[in-house]
Amino acid sequence: MDILKKYWKSLTIALGVLVIIYGFFGIKNYIISRQKLEITNICQNDELIAKLITKNINPFSKFKFMKKRNMDCRVMLAENTPDAKESQPEDICSALDAATNSVVMVVDTYVKDLYDRPSASKELKTTAKLMIPYSYCPQYYQDMIILVNIKRKYGL
């Protein structure tokens, strides 16, 4: 018992240092994972976007992820535009469905939750313009009909 009293201060300090080190590395890992997410294109990763939306219950966090996905889809469409115009590969056509889904989610949120029709209209027009070079894709007209229906539905 005397030995425990003798080393009590040392054990408390050692335990405190371990907690601080554990907290530091936990925060560091969290920051690194957030940075990886910022540079990861989540456009076509439906599983990841669903996990991120459900993990962040805050509606503004959900909207942030929806906007990131929409932006990532636009980036993907823009990056693949030269290939779409020249060689028309079928493997990049799946980006149209992802872009349509992402812009519909963002437009719905803008109109229903944020009451911001001008921003919703801008998002819709930008995505539709980026989809034009992909008119050779089988789903192009179906996706454009969805965008036109959304535009009509909300009067954008």
Side-chain angles (χ1 to χ4, degrees):
M1 196 65 163
D2 283 337
I3 212 160
L4 186 61
K5 286 182 181 179
K6 183 177 180 181
Y7 294 109
W8 179 251
K9 261 188 180 176
S10 298
L11 287 172
T12 305
I13 291 171
L15 185 61
V17 168
L18 286 175
V19 168
I20 290 171
I21 290 172
Y22 180 75
F24 172 75
F25 283 111
I27 291 170
K28 182 180 174 188
N29 286 337
Y30 174 76
I31 290 170
I32 289 171
S33 69
R34 297 299 289 181
Q35 288 173 342
K36 285 181 184 175
L37 177 65
E38 292 299 320
I39 61 172
T40 302
N41 189 317
I42 61 173
C43 176
Q44 293 182 299
N45 195 337
D46 293 330
E47 184 179 315
L48 177 61
I49 193 68
K51 184 174 103 177
L52 292 172
I53 288 174
T54 55
K55 189 171 99 174
N56 293 290
I57 303 302
N58 181 347
F60 293 106
S61 294
K62 288 181 185 179
F63 185 64
K64 177 183 170 187
F65 288 121
M66 284 188 259
K67 280 197 63 139
K68 178 176 175 16
R69 180 181 183 200
N70 190 40
M71 181 59 75
D72 287 352
C73 286
R74 286 195 273 173
V75 166
M76 184 179 288
L77 289 173
E79 286 177 348
N80 291 316
T81 295
D83 288 339
K85 288 180 178 178
E86 292 172 13
S87 59
Q88 300 182 348
E90 290 285 324
D91 60 332
I92 59 175
C93 287
S94 61
L96 287 177
D97 290 332
T100 301
N101 291 336
S102 69
V103 77
V104 167
M105 289 173 64
V106 169
V107 167
D108 278 342
T109 304
Y110 268 128
V111 173
K112 291 180 181 177
D113 298 337
L114 302 175
Y115 307 107
D116 187 359
R117 289 183 183 280
S119 295
S121 178
K122 182 180 174 186
E123 294 284 340
L124 200 57
K125 286 177 185 175
T126 303
T127 302
K129 284 180 184 176
L130 286 170
M131 290 171 67
I132 291 172
Y134 299 88
S135 60
Y136 67 91
C137 294
Q139 65 267 45
Y140 173 78
Y141 291 104
Q142 294 168 336
D143 289 337
M144 281 305 207
I145 288 171
I146 291 169
L147 296 184
V148 168
N149 288 339
I150 289 292
K151 183 176 179 171
R152 284 182 186 161
K153 178 180 177 181
Y154 295 128
L156 304 174

